[in-house]
Amino acid sequence: MKRIIALSFGIVCLLIFVGFTDACLVGPEAEITYLETNLGEESWQFDYVFTNTSKPGCCEGFNLYEVDFSFDEAVILKSYNLPAGWDMVAGAGFANTFSIMIGIPPIGADISPGTSLSGFDFLFSAQVGNLPFQAFFTDPCGGDPILFEGTSVPVPLPSTILLLASGAIGLGLIRRKKINK
């Protein structure tokens, strides 16, 4: 009986520890998605959305305040539009976007955990596709900024979602037909 109680207690402690580490000891993360449009005449429009995918609650204060892109130096960044409170420094092969208003809305322009910000529109001289990026987060304890590296990904097109949904519906109908027989 004592062994069962000790084993049960050990399992409960392990589950609590695993649940805690998964939920709260994960560092801040970001996701950058984009829509691309070929405007012709060597012009490609990329509309980016920056998302702070850090878990709200456990990662409070890990605000996304800077995203740096790198791309082929032969590609020219022709123009850009940014959301209010953001600015950019760009050159051959790089574009560094950053919040110029410290803090989260309504005071600042940083992106808090679990939220996203759109309006990052870039016009390139070529199709750049998935760009590597570095995202910087504030440290709520006052330490050095925290770096996360990733690659931007395209937003799934509605036709892709429609295709997946029709396939799922078809599989469901086939299964239902087999069950009714």
Side-chain angles (χ1 to χ4, degrees):
M1 183 67 171
K2 289 182 181 181
R3 284 185 179 181
I4 293 174
I5 293 173
L7 182 62
S8 299
F9 180 74
I11 290 172
V12 168
C13 289
L14 180 64
L15 291 174
I16 290 172
F17 177 75
V18 169
F20 176 76
T21 56
D22 180 48
C24 294
L25 296 181
V26 175
E29 297 179 354
E31 179 180 72
I32 311 294
T33 56
Y34 66 87
L35 288 173
E36 68 180 7
T37 307
N38 182 353
L39 303 176
E41 300 180 15
E42 297 181 0
S43 293
W44 286 82
Q45 175 80 31
F46 284 80
D47 302 318
Y48 291 95
V49 176
F50 296 179
T51 303
N52 184 343
T53 56
S54 307
K55 295 184 180 189
C58 295
C59 294
E60 291 304 318
F62 288 109
N63 299 324
L64 176 60
Y65 71 91
E66 180 177 343
V67 175
D68 300 343
F69 290 103
S70 58
F71 50 88
D72 187 340
E73 290 184 12
V75 174
I76 298 168
L77 177 60
K78 295 179 171 184
S79 66
Y80 61 88
N81 289 313
L82 301 172
W86 283 74
D87 202 354
M88 182 163 76
V89 174
F94 74 92
N96 299 345
T97 61
F98 51 91
S99 168
I100 56 174
M101 298 170 58
I102 298 172
I104 58 173
I107 299 167
D110 295 352
I111 305 168
S112 61
T115 63
S116 60
L117 184 61
S118 62
F120 297 88
D121 305 325
F122 299 165
L123 184 63
F124 289 103
S125 64
Q127 184 179 18
V128 294
N130 300 351
L131 293 178
F133 69 86
Q134 294 181 323
F136 293 88
F137 296 85
T138 56
D139 181 352
C141 298
D144 292 334
I146 299 167
L147 170 68
F148 174 81
E149 296 181 320
T151 303
S152 62
V153 295
V155 174
L157 299 175
S159 60
T160 304
I161 295 169
L162 181 62
L163 181 62
L164 289 172
S166 65
I169 290 169
L171 289 173
L173 291 173
I174 290 170
R175 179 167 171 80
R176 183 174 181 188
K177 187 174 182 180
K178 284 184 179 181
I179 290 173
N180 287 340
K181 281 186 175 184

